[in-house]
Amino acid sequence: MNVPAFKPEPFIDSYKNYISRFEIEIDIDDKFSWESINDHLLESRYFPYPSSEWITTCLDPIVDDLKKRNLPREELIRAVYDTVKVVKYNNEEDLFISNKGVCGRYKMQSGNSADINFLLIQLLNKLDIETHPVVLSTRDNGHLFQANPSRNKLNYVIAAVNQYNGFKLL
């Protein structure tokens, strides 16, 4: 067959959504569902939510400094966001924090997407601002399909702050 090669166009979201391919994901639990994926994430040491004492103890000085400012809630969220911005994104999209951990990456001032966003989540939660991780698939990674749960399709985590009128994604 003489089929032309796929050429990405400037306005498509991900080439992965337009080419034929066969993907296999092995499930050792025999119950592949979004709930089992959620359970797997929450059990992982590299997905630190809810916060673990070994993860967040190093953040106490930062939290104490932020509390001393006595800022209104919205300004406190902005101050935490600005504090986290010192950690530079190293262009690695990931669902899990790196081996250096949140605190190690804060000290190194460089980290992957999960390092930075979990730092934000942990700081906000330590300041009694309810914040949860939201996992997703980036545009380049392709679509998530409700009918086909897949851990491999998740490649990014962001923060969702509980506001008075719903959640705000950061």
Side-chain angles (χ1 to χ4, degrees), residues 3-23:
V3 178
F6 178 82
K7 295 179 183 166
E9 296 290 328
F11 296 107
I12 65 170
D13 47 7
S14 173
Y15 76 92
K16 294 177 184 178
N17 295 330
Y18 299 97
I19 60 172
S20 296
R21 65 189 185 283
F22 190 69
E23 294 180 352

Side-chain angles (χ1 to χ4, degrees), residues 91-158:
N91 293 320
E92 293 178 18
E93 294 175 351
D94 209 330
L95 195 58
F96 299 102
I97 61 171
S98 60
N99 288 335
K100 302 275 187 207
V102 172
C103 295
R105 289 301 179 169
Y106 181 75
K107 289 175 187 168
M108 293 174 66
Q109 296 189 347
S110 173
N112 68 32
S113 58
D115 294 326
I116 294 168
N117 286 310
F118 272 113
L119 176 60
L120 180 65
I121 291 165
Q122 299 298 347
L123 284 171
L124 289 168
N125 279 328
K126 285 183 82 64
L127 290 163
D128 298 322
I129 298 172
E130 182 184 354
T131 308
H132 302 278
V134 175
V135 294
L136 52 94
S137 177
T138 57
R139 176 176 278 199
D140 291 341
N141 197 45
H143 290 296
L144 279 176
F145 296 104
Q146 183 69 25
N148 299 321
S150 172
R151 283 188 294 243
N152 293 338
K153 285 303 218 176
L154 300 169
N155 71 326
Y156 210 85
V157 62
I158 60 173

Side-chain angles (χ1 to χ4, degrees), residues 41-86:
L41 291 174
L42 293 176
E43 291 169 3
S44 174
R45 172 187 175 139
Y46 297 101
F47 193 87
Y49 185 82
S51 71
S52 304
E53 196 60 36
W54 66 272
I55 291 265
T56 60
T57 306
C58 67
L59 303 177
D60 288 342
I62 302 166
V63 170
D64 292 341
D65 179 54
L66 289 165
K67 283 182 179 179
K68 286 178 190 173
R69 295 185 195 178
N70 216 10
L71 298 170
R73 188 175 195 275
E74 289 302 315
E75 289 180 35
L76 183 58
I77 292 170
R78 171 55 71 188
V80 171
Y81 187 80
D82 289 341
T83 300
V84 172
K85 281 185 2 183
V86 302

